[in-house]
Structures are given as structure tokens and as C-alpha cells.
Amino acid sequence: MFCDNVSAVMTRVKINTRGAKRIRSGHLWVYRSDVREANDALGGQIVRVADEAGNSVGQAFYSDRSEIALRFLTTSEEAIDREWWRARLRQCAGRRASIARETNAYRLVYSEGDLLPSLIVDVYDDVFVMQTLSQGTEQLKSTLAELLVEEFTPRTIVERNDARVRELEGLERRTGTLYGEAPEEVEINQHGVRFFVSPVSGQKTGAFLDQRENYLAARRVAHGRALDCFTFNGGFALHVASSCESVLGIDISTDAIAAAGRNAARNGARNVEFRAANVFDAVREFEANGERFDTIVLDPPAFAKNRASLASAVRGYKEINLRALKLLNPGGVLVTCTCSYHLTEEMFLEIIADAALDARRRVQLVEKRGQSSDHPVLLGVPETHYLKCVIARVID
Ligand SMILES: C[S@@+](CC[C@H](N)C(=O)[O-])C[C@H]1O[C@@H](n2cnc3c(N)ncnc32)[C@H](O)[C@@H]1O
């Protein structure tokens, strides 16, 4: 059914001292400007990489289009064959054994974070969703799908290759099925809360799995009247419902709100209501009407998609955090997130502190959190750390 197209022929690519130093200090990428000689390397091939003195640096995917010319798979000389890929996939699963006992929806492979650059595999019960985001993993797609079937016996493997980053690799954006038949919906269970997920048509690969552990953290501090801004399918709203009197979830997407309503019904959550609205307008209206909340969650889309949009992103984050702090009763908690890689945790905390000053509120830091542990941050590769979640309490 699948053909094995693991590269057997290795081309040698030479990189400059800066590129070699980057890899030897723990990063996995070399930019095109640091490639000295690509020789006859083809896009998507696995190549052996040497420094200017001819010493081996490792083996990497080569891209003939992206600014990221090399994505390292290993710094050793080991053979990268089908069994090598199998072993890496097994290692990913092994690291998530305890997560898989708790939930049937998690990220099985987190690209660079798992030393499998540009490969994402999300598990929704027996439906797997794969993203091959570079020429390298794209070429290996069939082999990788076959190995997933052999190792984990999924019912279906969906390809969600509609991510914009593929364009940087000269790859088309597409969605389809690589194995089995894709169901319209899958039911998943996260900490006793059930959600319907649409792996083919939902945002991202169907759900925001990176917030799974933050849902529980939010539940621990949530109370009273809660507002979940940017709720999507009700992830935070339905998790905090059991510890709150009432929850209102808001999202601009009517599809997301319809799905959130069905999720609430599936869980018998009678104290949760969802509304389609623009959060920026809604929070202003709440303020004008003198409404108050005891718990507010802010989980917006990435406002800073790149470094150039950072300044306007900072204004956006400041605006919603300021409004939310004004809407909180004394003792109220704010669970505030950013998934912009370009906005560091330090910058985010500064924005929240500024917003607190402007709102004339005294705010206590309760917890600094990140993405769920099935999205591991690889030390030395800062790009693997994108989600920041701050839990704060208004004490005055
Ligand atoms: C990061 S996702 C939220 C994920 C969600 N909290 C979860 O845990 O599943 C961002 C959401 O914001 C919504 N959105 C984007 N702009 C918005 C706006 N101005 N007002 C309300 N919702 C918005 C998107 O439709 C998307 O569902």
C-alpha cells in the first residue's frame, strides 16, 4: 500500500562555522545564508552535513526553498533507515505513556520538540492527524503513515497539510486521508469532559491540545461567574463549569460556537452558555453595562505572527488584558494566554503588569505556565516554546 522512500543516497552539504556552531550548541536549524556548498542536494533529501574543515556535523533534511535550509535529525553518523524512524516514533509514544492513560487525545509527535523536525502527529482516540511541514517529511509521508499503522493501529490517518508554513517550502496546502476513512467527528475525553472533534475541518488539527493541562490549572482556581473569551469549542468553559456558578463562552466563529453548544449538551453542563461575538466588542459592552466576573480566561489567536507585527500585537494583548482586569471582582482570577512565539514570557508579564497599573488593580501572580507536556520544549531550540499561560489574581 505504501512505498518506502527513505533516502538511501547521501549528499554532503557544507556549512560555515556559524551554522556548525548553531547545531553544536543545540539548535536543529541552519539557515540558507550559512550553507557554503549544497552540491547536488535535492529538496527533501536527507544529507550528511560537514563543517568548513570537513568534520561531520550530522544529518539533516535539506530544503531547496525555505530559508531554513537544513533541519537536523541527528548529529551522529547512524543510518537513517525505516527502523530509525520506527524507533523515534516509539520513543515519542513511550514519553507519552502516562498522558495516554489520562486522555485519548494528545500530541504524539511534536516536531523539533521530539527531534522529528517538521512532523506533527495528533491522536484523537483511534484517528491520527498528521502534518508534514517541510519537503523532508513530505517526501517521507507514506513511510511515516505506514509506520504509524504498524506501530499504533489507528483506524484512520488524516493529513492536515493546510498549514500556511508549507508555502515557505514550496509545498501545496491540502487536506485528505492517508489511511482508512476519515470520520466527520471523533469523541474525545479530557479529564472526564467530552468533546466532539472534527479532524478534517476543525481549526488546527481539530483541537487546541496544547491547552489540555492549562484547563485543569484553570479549574483549580476558577469560581463564581466565569467568562471564557476565545472559547473555540468550549475547552476552558467546560472544564471550569464544575467549579463555577455560571460560565459564558465567547468566540467570533459561529461554527465553533455551535460545536461548543453541542459539547455542553454532551456533558450535561447546564450552567454554561455560548455566544458568537467579537471579544474586543463584548468586553467593552460588559464594562459599559457594569457587568462583573470572578474568573476570566483569555486565549486569543496569535496576534504576533512574525516579528514585524509585534508592536501591534502588544497593543492587542494589552487591550484585552486591561479590559478583563477591570471586569474582575476583587479576588477574581485571570487566566491569560499568548500563543505568539515572538512574544516572550517576560514581555507578556510586562504587558499584564502594565494593564494592571492602567486598570488600577493590584494583581498577584499565581502561576506561570506553558504548553502541555505533550508539546515538549527542546532546550536550545527556543522556537519550540510558543504558548505562555499566566494565572493571576486581582487582590485589590
Ligand atoms: C487559540 S484559539 C482558542 C482555543 C480555545 N481556548 C481552546 O482551548 O480550545 C482562538 C480562538 O479565537 C477565535 N477568535 C479570533 N478572533 C476573535 C475575536 N476577535 N473575537 C472572538 N473570537 C475570536 C477563533 O475563532 C479561535 O476559536
Side-chain angles (χ1 to χ4, degrees):
M1 183 185 352
F2 300 112
C3 64
D4 190 345
N5 57 356
V6 175
S7 292
V9 184
M10 295 274 190
T11 306
R12 192 168 273 260
V13 168
K14 193 172 262 191
I15 57 176
N16 66 15
T17 306
R18 188 173 57 180
K21 207 167 154 199
R22 192 173 165 82
I23 300 307
R24 288 177 179 139
S25 52
H27 211 290
L28 299 180
W29 299 347
V30 168
Y31 292 99
R32 189 157 307 285
S33 52
D34 290 333
V35 173
R36 272 283 151 86
E37 289 164 25
N39 298 311
D40 53 354
L42 300 173
Q45 247 185 344
I46 296 170
V47 295
R48 289 191 183 276
V49 184
D51 63 15
E52 284 175 306
N55 297 314
S56 170
V57 184
Q59 301 176 64
F61 282 136
Y62 178 74
S63 170
D64 62 11
R65 283 290 284 278
S66 170
E67 274 313 301
I68 303 168
L70 294 164
R71 291 171 194 264
F72 276 70
L73 295 163
T74 176
T75 49
S76 90
E77 304 256 312
E78 63 197 322
I80 301 184
D81 54 13
R82 192 183 172 84
E83 294 314 303
W84 185 94
W85 290 100
R86 187 193 301 281
R88 285 260 164 125
L89 293 175
R90 278 188 185 168
Q91 285 158 8
C92 289
R95 289 192 284 267
R96 287 157 174 84
S98 63
I99 296 173
R101 282 194 288 273
E102 274 174 10
T103 178
N104 63 351
Y106 56 93
R107 180 153 287 188
L108 174 64
V109 179
Y110 175 51
S111 63
E112 275 75 357
D114 276 308
L115 296 179
L116 285 169
S118 65
L119 177 67
I120 303 269
V121 182
D122 285 344
V123 171
Y124 297 105
D125 194 25
D126 55 2
V127 175
F128 284 27
V129 182
M130 185 157 99
Q131 293 182 306
T132 49
L133 302 174
S134 74
Q135 294 174 351
T137 45
E138 175 68 9
Q139 276 201 13
L140 287 174
K141 196 164 64 182
S142 303
T143 303
L144 291 166
E146 187 174 322
L147 288 169
L148 288 173
V149 171
E150 288 173 14
E151 290 297 311
F152 311 110
T153 57
R155 169 166 57 119
T156 304
I157 302 178
V158 171
E159 165 184 20
R160 278 303 293 271
N161 274 327
D162 46 343
R164 195 167 299 145
V165 288
R166 285 199 18 131
E167 287 175 357
L168 303 175
E169 295 274 339
L171 300 171
E172 60 168 348
R173 290 164 71 180
R174 68 167 169 252
T175 298
T177 308
L178 297 172
Y179 176 79
E181 267 183 45
E184 195 65 14
E185 273 183 345
V186 198
E187 186 176 302
I188 62 161
N189 187 331
Q190 291 179 318
H191 328 112
V193 184
R194 290 165 195 282
F195 295 92
F196 295 111
V197 170
S198 306
V200 178
S201 57
Q203 293 188 37
K204 274 186 119 180
T205 63
F208 291 84
L209 296 172
D210 49 6
Q211 289 286 22
R212 187 175 47 80
E213 291 167 8
N214 294 330
Y215 295 153
L216 284 185
R219 181 190 276 172
R220 283 197 290 271
V221 291
H223 63 281
R225 185 182 186 213
L227 173 66
D228 178 15
C229 296
F230 310 96
T231 189
F232 182 53
N233 290 355
F236 279 101
L238 293 172
H239 272 86
V240 302
S242 55
S243 43
C244 293
E245 278 155 33
S246 67
V247 187
L248 172 60
I250 294 181
D251 200 284
I252 205 162
S253 155
T254 48
D255 283 352
I257 287 298
R262 290 180 54 232
N263 288 335
R266 176 70 183 88
N267 289 283
R270 276 180 281 276
N271 59 341
V272 184
E273 186 199 325
F274 292 103
R275 194 180 295 167
N278 185 327
V279 165
F280 286 87
D281 300 335
V283 288
R284 254 184 247 127
E285 273 168 39
F286 290 139
E287 200 183 326
N289 298 337
E291 298 212 39
R292 291 292 176 269
F293 297 88
D294 302 294
T295 303
I296 298 183
V297 178
L298 298 175
D299 183 20
F303 291 156
K305 299 262 191 247
N306 48 46
R307 213 171 284 282
S309 57
L310 202 50
S312 70
V314 168
R315 285 194 292 279
Y317 288 118
K318 169 93 181 274
E319 162 78 6
I320 51 169
N321 280 280
L322 170 62
R323 301 273 171 197
L325 287 170
K326 284 186 174 174
L327 289 174
L328 281 169
N329 285 319
V333 290
L334 175 66
V335 179
T336 180
C337 311
T338 170
C339 55
S340 299
Y341 158 69
H342 296 282
L343 195 84
T344 64
E345 184 183 84
E346 201 183 349
M347 291 158 79
F348 191 41
L349 284 169
E350 223 170 273
I351 291 171
I352 301 163
D354 269 5
L357 271 181
D358 288 7
R360 297 174 190 276
R361 306 302 298 265
R362 279 275 173 195
V363 175
Q364 215 176 38
L365 183 60
V366 178
E367 257 189 280
K368 289 188 283 186
R369 304 181 56 86
Q371 60 230 34
S372 294
S373 54
D374 47 348
H375 297 57
V377 173
L378 185 67
L379 297 181
V381 185
E383 292 82 355
T384 55
H385 180 204
Y386 65 98
L387 182 67
K388 296 103 202 169
C389 172
V390 171
I391 303 185
R393 183 182 287 115
V394 172
I395 54 169
D396 193 12

